[in-house]
Amino acid sequence: MSVDPTGTIEGLLVESRRYPPNPEFAASANVNDPEIYQRASDDPEGFWASVAAELDWDQKWDTVLEWDPPKVSWFNGGKLNVSYNCVDRHVKTWRKTKAAIIWEGEAGEERILTYQELYREVNRTALMLKSLGVAKGDRVAVYLPMIPELAIILLACARIGAPHSVVFGGFSPDSLSDRINDCGAKVLVTADGGFRRGAVVALKENADKALEDTPTIEHVVVVQRVGAEKHPVEMKKGRDIWWHDAMAAVSGNYCAPESLDAEHPLYILYTSGTTGKPKGVLHTTGGYLVGAYATSKWVLDLKDDDIYWCTADIGWVTGHSYIVYGPLANGATSVMFEGTPDYPDRDRFWDIIERRAITVLYTAPTAIRACMRWGTEHVEKHDLSSLRLLGTVGEPINPEAWIWYNDHIGHGKCPIVDTWWQTETGAIMISGLPGLTTMKPGSATVPLPGIVPDIVDEQGNSVPDGQGGYLVMRRPWPSMFRTIWGDWDRYVSTYFSKYGPNVYVTGDGAKRDDEGYIWLMGRVDDVLNVAGHRLGTMEIESALVSHPSVAEAAVIGVSDELKGQAVAAFVTPRLGVDANDALVNELRAHVSEKIGPIARPDRIFFTAELPKTRSAKIMRRLLRDVAEGRVMGDTTTLTDPTVLEEIKKQYEDTGAAE
Ligand code: ATP
Ligand code: MG
């Protein structure tokens, strides 16, 4: 089978819809002067220095960037504290009475923390950590539901210079102990339980199991979220302490923020594990905060009168950067929600937006596709007129899902920012600016000021416009990760070896159109090879999703004697659709018409759910394992293993595996 020697990924889908900036929005946008791009490219270091100067530093840096590829450091010699920048500096202004965090529990409970209240909690929590022996440099593992203590503990860790490592509350004991051991945490902060669709998630029991095998943990702090009446838990003497008891024992309300080097570690966070074993991504203090702060301001356009809601979990990088650090560094009001979009009903998101008059919404394509699948009647029950800006993150958004978001949620008046970035990048890298950029549905549009991506072929040469290839970064940026915790060699070999130490390899395939817009085409690991053509997953999936009967699709390549690989599609129909043979034929013809016969799926397989990571990304590698009848790869980051079992069973029963 001949493989395209240049490693080009072919882009076939054509999308011609355009959404120019809304003049009214642009007039008051945080960024509405296009010269920002020029300024950044003329003098990148001067540009980033001017952004960094918007934060409060205890001591100014000596040099902006030191780059000894692949090693980078930013703002060398500078000293600052992240919690000071997110809390203290706002308390000194009128914002002290402004809501910093508006929390809504799954059952509708509410807690609102003003900046002053958050300040007090963060200070006292920092003192509490110190009283447990946590010192600068010690790691603190966090395994909590989406409750205010989660944001508080992050800021308290940052205050004393103890890097945190948040493990998503849906993870199993094994995943938790792996992560604790990998980062060598001294203290674990957890809860007696969390709520999911009304049922209790047994976090403390999971933690107890995990802790059978974690020698570095000295103390466990337990937040009482559920209560002993509903869900009693065991407390191990000498090791476990209730959060409220530990806090009651704290004397004083002020813990001086540590003045930390810009390169002091802020946190370790494990990637989603979509393509394989998770990596412990390390972010540092100064550069990370500059990135999270600036992108929240530019892309999410946060202002003092916004009620901003990012629906991610703080267990993922999106929650770190865009629920906690970025919005709070901007002095914004950040909404934190414990529940899910379909509990108690499928209108929960829209209900929250109406009740709380949300102005900026940042969510994931997977949530948008779920709402598409459920139908518009749930949306139409609510007045969404408070919204002024919409964002998406986490996966490529299929153009049809983008249009649905625009029409049914934004009512055509809210710009949509499709933001491409990764745990490793710390902050948004490729995204339109809502007051400046003409948006194209399905494209993350253009790099942010100061970000220098390229699309290259197998040899590392830039591909001509219109062609696909590997997405890379040619220059360092402040919020980039500095290593994989404890594994510098894996850092270098995973990200900085394919094209040498100067070039960061993202692992994603992309194409640049003739106007310089970037279209993400899927992960390089998922690229199909059909009769010598290398095809990304995104375009075939988007062609399927553009059919009115389809809500979601995952495409993989399966071995085929003739073509090298044949295209297999796993399709989730919209509710009420009869998934029959006629639909299979229709979908095959539809893809053929949209992008060409080369991409026509050879096999289409209907399924009510697709296997997803706990961060809600489609895991195509496991579908490939099913299709090839292989032993499953790492499944520890799967949301619901039964989905995969079900697909496997059906796949074998229908003979699709032949
Ligand atoms: P792992 O690296 O462990 O396989 P992961 O890549 O899913 O996990 P994350 O850092 O959470 O871990 O996800 C980043 C990836 O998500 C990107 O590399 C890209 O594939 C995808 N992604 C995020 N946002 C977008 C977007 N707006 N458009 C297209 N893809 C996106
Ligand atoms: Mg990744």
Side-chain angles (χ1 to χ4, degrees), residues 324-389:
V324 183
Y325 293 119
L328 298 181
N330 278 277
T333 296
S334 181
V335 172
M336 205 179 150
F337 172 52
E338 186 186 31
T340 46
D342 56 348
Y343 185 84
D345 290 308
R346 287 176 170 165
D347 66 339
R348 185 69 189 265
F349 272 17
W350 323 120
D351 175 52
I352 291 177
I353 290 170
E354 178 173 16
R355 257 188 304 111
R356 301 200 176 275
I358 304 287
T359 56
V360 179
L361 174 70
Y362 192 30
T363 192
T366 181
I368 298 165
R369 291 189 301 251
C371 294
M372 280 170 70
R373 175 162 176 250
W374 298 332
T376 53
E377 65 268 27
H378 305 289
V379 180
E380 280 153 13
K381 279 195 246 165
H382 296 281
D383 174 6
L384 305 182
S385 60
S386 57
L387 288 170
R388 66 178 192 90
L389 172 62

Side-chain angles (χ1 to χ4, degrees), residues 271-276 278-279 393-396 418-424 506 508 520 523 617:
T271 54
S272 301
T274 312
T275 51
K279 304 161 276 265
V393 57
E395 285 187 298
D418 172 359
T419 63
W420 179 89
W421 60 294
Q422 309 176 294
T423 310
E424 295 89 337
T506 67
D508 285 353
L520 275 300
R523 291 156 193 277
K617 296 168 195 265

